[in-house]
Amino acid sequence: MLVTGGAGFIGANFVLNWLSQDGTDGIINVDKLTYAGNRNTLASLGGNARHIFSQTDICDRAALDKLFAAHQPRAVVHFAAESHVDRSIHDPAEFIQTNIVGTFNLLEAARTYWGGLDAAAKAAFRFLHVSTDEVFGSLGPGDPQFSETTAYRPNSPYSASKAASDHLVRAYHHTYGLPVLTTHCSNNYGPYHFPEKLIPLMMTNALAGRSLPIYGDGLNVRDWLYVGDHCAAICAVLARGRVGETYNVGGWNEKTNLDVVHTLCDLLDELRRKAIGSYRDQITFVKDRPGHDRRYAIDAHKLERELGWKPAETLETGLRKTVQWYLDNQAWVRNATSGDYRNWMANQYAE
Ligand code: NAD
Ligand code: DAU
């Protein structure tokens, strides 16, 4: 199986989960290793013959063609992307390049390879595109959750680039018959999450004694899903999803950012008590994100009904596991937050 972006947060969790199961296919892991890619996350796979890592940019068509020819994958699971909304606001160019042009290249390489397969291999081949709920835009407080038929209304350069890639994937099925599947997942959290995103950033700052910067009034709502549950959903869609269909993936866990940060502080107070006071004392309200989407919420009934998937973790159990993981893996955090991370933090939170 060819996995892109398998050194990033969700991709690496997927690769580790997949290879921990007996009898699964080997993985060719294709990742450019941007600031978000981290080979330390994959360190436990050293010497595992079922994992081959290739530092490759998905915008490099010739390199992709060689990888398809050499490894003859039976499926592609496409995670690689620029994924951070704030970075897309500061500097959108790389989002257009990787998320749109890169996905186009990968589709072209996959289509060429797939066109040369025999009838049985062609029918069995799958291209699974990992997308996001952000392509559907922002909900008001009383609006129904996003379903698979909700109209696209992306609001940030990131979500617009993901929307464009979704359209290309859809078109490759409609026009060429490429056997594609697309998933739209809500906000993930869990181990190996790069500390530029809300949950790992709050934990990293809390433990370092820094302020916990909440954008705007802190009442924006996200629907949180433990990363292991997202990986299980992808496995279900890959194995049993109907070709050409899209599937929403969500945790039925709508919470305001303030609620999430309060819960994190309370867990840290319990598991790593400070000498004086509570981690909640470090919360500060900062300038809002431009164009900040107010609410995301996912209706995941189709995935439950058709493929029998349900999240195993509640937000309470998942957050507790996650906080404990960060406390136990401070060396990983130190490594991830060295280098360019400091420049990003200094610029983004300058005020
Ligand atoms: P991430 O930023 O942690 O990881 C992205 C990975 O892609 C990194 O390893 C990076 O090196 C690699 N990459 C970037 N550009 C590349 C290129 N040109 N060629 C090859 N590799 C490249 O992202 P993530 O949070 O793990 O998200 C993975 C996917 O899931 C993305 O497509 C994202 O849109 C989607 N998604 C994320 C979430 C979430 O909450 N994090 C939710 C829903 C969907
Ligand atoms: O919904 C799925 C999406 O979730 C994915 O497609 C994206 O790749 C992923 O990054 C995530 O996007 P968000 O913008 O929702 O995640 P982020 O962790 O950046 O922010 C979550 C919320 O927390 C959001 O309302 C902004 C807020 N926030 C974020 C940061 C980094 C803060 O209040 N302070 C912060 O410092």
Side-chain angles (χ1 to χ4, degrees), residues 41-220:
T41 305
L42 303 166
S44 64
L45 297 176
N48 185 332
R50 291 197 300 142
H51 180 248
I52 298 170
F53 186 83
S54 171
Q55 184 171 1
T56 298
D57 186 338
I58 57 165
C59 295
D60 182 345
R61 172 68 200 279
L64 290 178
D65 284 342
K66 277 192 195 146
L67 288 169
F68 274 97
H71 298 286
Q72 304 276 307
R74 66 140 180 114
V76 172
V77 183
H78 177 33
F79 294 98
E82 288 292 332
S83 70
H84 191 32
V85 174
D86 291 327
R87 286 187 192 253
S88 84
I89 294 167
H90 283 279
D91 193 2
E94 209 52 44
F95 289 72
I96 305 307
Q97 215 36 51
T98 285
N99 299 2
I100 307 178
V101 179
T103 300
F104 165 71
N105 267 306
L106 187 65
L107 282 164
E108 277 292 272
R111 178 169 80 91
T112 305
Y113 162 73
W114 174 75
L117 295 175
D118 64 35
K122 244 179 150 174
F125 186 79
R126 295 290 181 270
F127 184 108
L128 192 153
H129 176 58
V130 180
S131 189
T132 168
D133 60 358
E134 297 202 16
V135 297
F136 300 124
S138 184
L139 295 168
D143 290 342
Q145 296 145 324
F146 301 130
S147 77
E148 286 78 2
T149 56
T150 301
Y152 275 46
R153 283 196 185 83
N155 287 322
S156 71
Y158 162 69
S159 54
S161 68
K162 290 295 290 188
S165 67
D166 293 0
H167 293 322
L168 284 169
V169 170
R170 181 181 188 281
Y172 271 63
H173 176 62
H174 188 81
T175 304
Y176 305 114
L178 190 72
V180 307
L181 299 152
T182 297
T183 54
H184 293 284
C185 191
S186 60
N187 287 63
N188 284 216
Y189 66 96
Y192 305 113
H193 204 179
F194 189 69
E196 65 183 353
K197 308 280 172 67
L198 180 77
I199 287 180
L201 182 134
M202 292 296 162
M203 280 189 285
T204 310
N205 278 15
L207 293 170
R210 291 193 291 263
S211 64
L212 309 181
I214 299 206
Y215 297 162
D217 61 7
L219 299 181
N220 300 67

